[in-house]
């Protein structure tokens, strides 16, 4: 079982920045992709960004391109989401997800492991 623990959420004004972190439990000998999703009240869980093991390849949702950056530090088993120029529509619970392989997916059902979520609130 893989444990994921997110941190870094909070409340900011529009155009502000936040950095989310997600620490994963050790998975010796396994290379895996990681991703961020978000879910606003009453809405489905939406893809935000994903990254390969090497960090070389990333994919972003159109709504966050140019504003958010996903990165990872495999020595720390941690993935990050730097969020700049935040907008009120970015308000949601942000979830970290971990894959079983080093494949990039944009749908939640492809990720077997999830964190508990961290709230991000952006006020206008």
């Amino acid at each position: 079982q893989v444990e994921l623990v997110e941190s870094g959420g909070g409340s900011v004004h529009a155009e502000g920045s936040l950095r989310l972190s997600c620490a994963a439990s050790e998975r010796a000998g396994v290379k895996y992709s990681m991703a961020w999703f978000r879910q606003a009240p009453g809405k489905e869980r939406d893809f935000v960004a994903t990254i390969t093991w090497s960090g070389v390849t990333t994919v972003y949702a159109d709504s966050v391109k140019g504003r958010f950056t996903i990165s990872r530090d495999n020595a720390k088993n941690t993935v990050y989401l730097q969020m700049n120029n935040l907008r009120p529509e970015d308000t949601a619970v942000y979830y970290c997800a971990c894959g079983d392989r080093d494949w990039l997916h944009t749908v939640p059902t492809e990720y077997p492991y999830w964190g508990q979520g961290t709230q991000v609130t952006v006020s206008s």
Side-chain angles (χ1 to χ4, degrees):
Q1 185 68 19
V2 177
E3 293 187 2
L4 302 173
V5 179
E6 299 107 333
S7 60
S11 297
V12 296
H13 292 293
E15 300 181 14
S17 298
L18 283 173
R19 188 193 195 204
L20 306 183
S21 299
C22 173
S25 54
E26 180 67 38
R27 301 177 71 188
V30 178
K31 294 183 178 180
Y32 50 91
S33 62
M34 295 191 77
W36 289 96
F37 288 77
R38 65 186 182 186
Q39 189 167 17
K43 296 190 176 181
E44 295 184 347
R45 191 165 297 189
D46 291 332
F47 167 74
V48 175
T50 185
I51 187 169
T52 54
W53 171 261
S54 68
V56 170
T57 304
T58 57
V59 177
Y60 294 92
D62 288 344
S63 59
V64 306
K65 280 181 183 176
R67 300 188 299 122
F68 291 11
T69 302
I70 188 171
S71 61
R72 66 190 296 168
D73 182 344
N74 292 334
K76 297 181 180 180
N77 298 319
T78 300
V79 65
Y80 305 96
L81 186 68
Q82 177 66 44
M83 305 185 294
N84 298 327
N85 192 21
L86 282 160
R87 304 166 179 168
E89 54 264 38
D90 294 319
T91 295
V93 176
Y94 283 71
Y95 295 91
C96 171
C98 183
D100 262 341
R101 296 182 176 89
D102 197 17
W103 294 349
L104 297 180
H105 296 291
T106 62
V107 293
T109 52
E110 295 293 341
Y111 292 91
Y113 308 111
W114 291 84
Q116 81 286 353
T118 185
Q119 177 70 46
V120 171
T121 302
V122 184
S123 58
S124 58

